[in-house]
């Protein structure tokens, strides 16, 4: 039985983004699809671009079978990438701890 792992990066402050990655410790690599839930104050204007950055970060990380919850408050692309990289690193660290 794998332990459930959850990590967070970011805040809900203006111009920031809160990213939560959760899944089982044994499921950080493999064939399962990732699930992404996105809410944003600018979803109508930038939803597809935000989703693309999230998908790129997940693909680069090699994670699969994780649930990603994204709450955006108008973050810039560099902030989204930084928060994703931090959440992914924390998730991988918890899975291998």
């Amino acid at each position: 039985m794998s332990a459930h792992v959850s990590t967070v990066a970011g805040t809900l402050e203006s111009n920031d983004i809160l990213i939560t990655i959760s899944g089982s410790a044994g499921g950080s690599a493999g064939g399962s699809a990732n699930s992404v839930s996105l809410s944003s104050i600018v979803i109508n204007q930038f939803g597809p671009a935000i989703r693309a950055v999230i998908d790129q970060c997940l693909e680069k990380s090699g994670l699969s079978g994780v649930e990603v919850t994204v709450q955006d408050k108008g973050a810039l692309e560099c902030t989204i990438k930084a928060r994703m990289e931090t959440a992914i690193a924390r998730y991988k660290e918890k899975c291998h701890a």
Side-chain angles (χ1 to χ4, degrees):
M1 181 172 159
S2 297
H4 183 77
V5 175
S6 183
T7 60
V8 177
T11 70
L12 289 175
E13 298 294 321
S14 182
N15 299 316
D16 203 353
I17 191 166
L18 182 68
I19 297 174
T20 305
I21 300 178
S22 59
S24 62
S28 64
S32 300
N34 295 317
S35 169
V36 177
S37 172
L38 170 63
S39 65
S40 174
I41 61 171
V42 292
I43 198 157
N44 291 333
Q45 298 93 338
F46 300 108
I50 296 167
R51 179 65 191 245
V53 171
I54 293 164
D55 289 342
Q56 288 171 354
C57 290
L58 285 171
E59 185 176 326
K60 182 180 173 184
S61 74
L63 288 182
S64 63
V66 295
E67 295 178 21
V68 182
T69 304
V70 180
Q71 299 172 61
D72 174 54
K73 298 295 183 182
L76 297 173
E77 182 177 338
C78 58
T79 304
I80 298 168
K81 285 181 182 178
R83 298 302 192 201
M84 279 296 295
E85 289 173 4
T86 301
I88 289 166
R90 288 176 179 169
Y91 181 84
K92 287 182 173 182
E93 184 177 305
K94 278 190 172 183
C95 285
H96 299 300

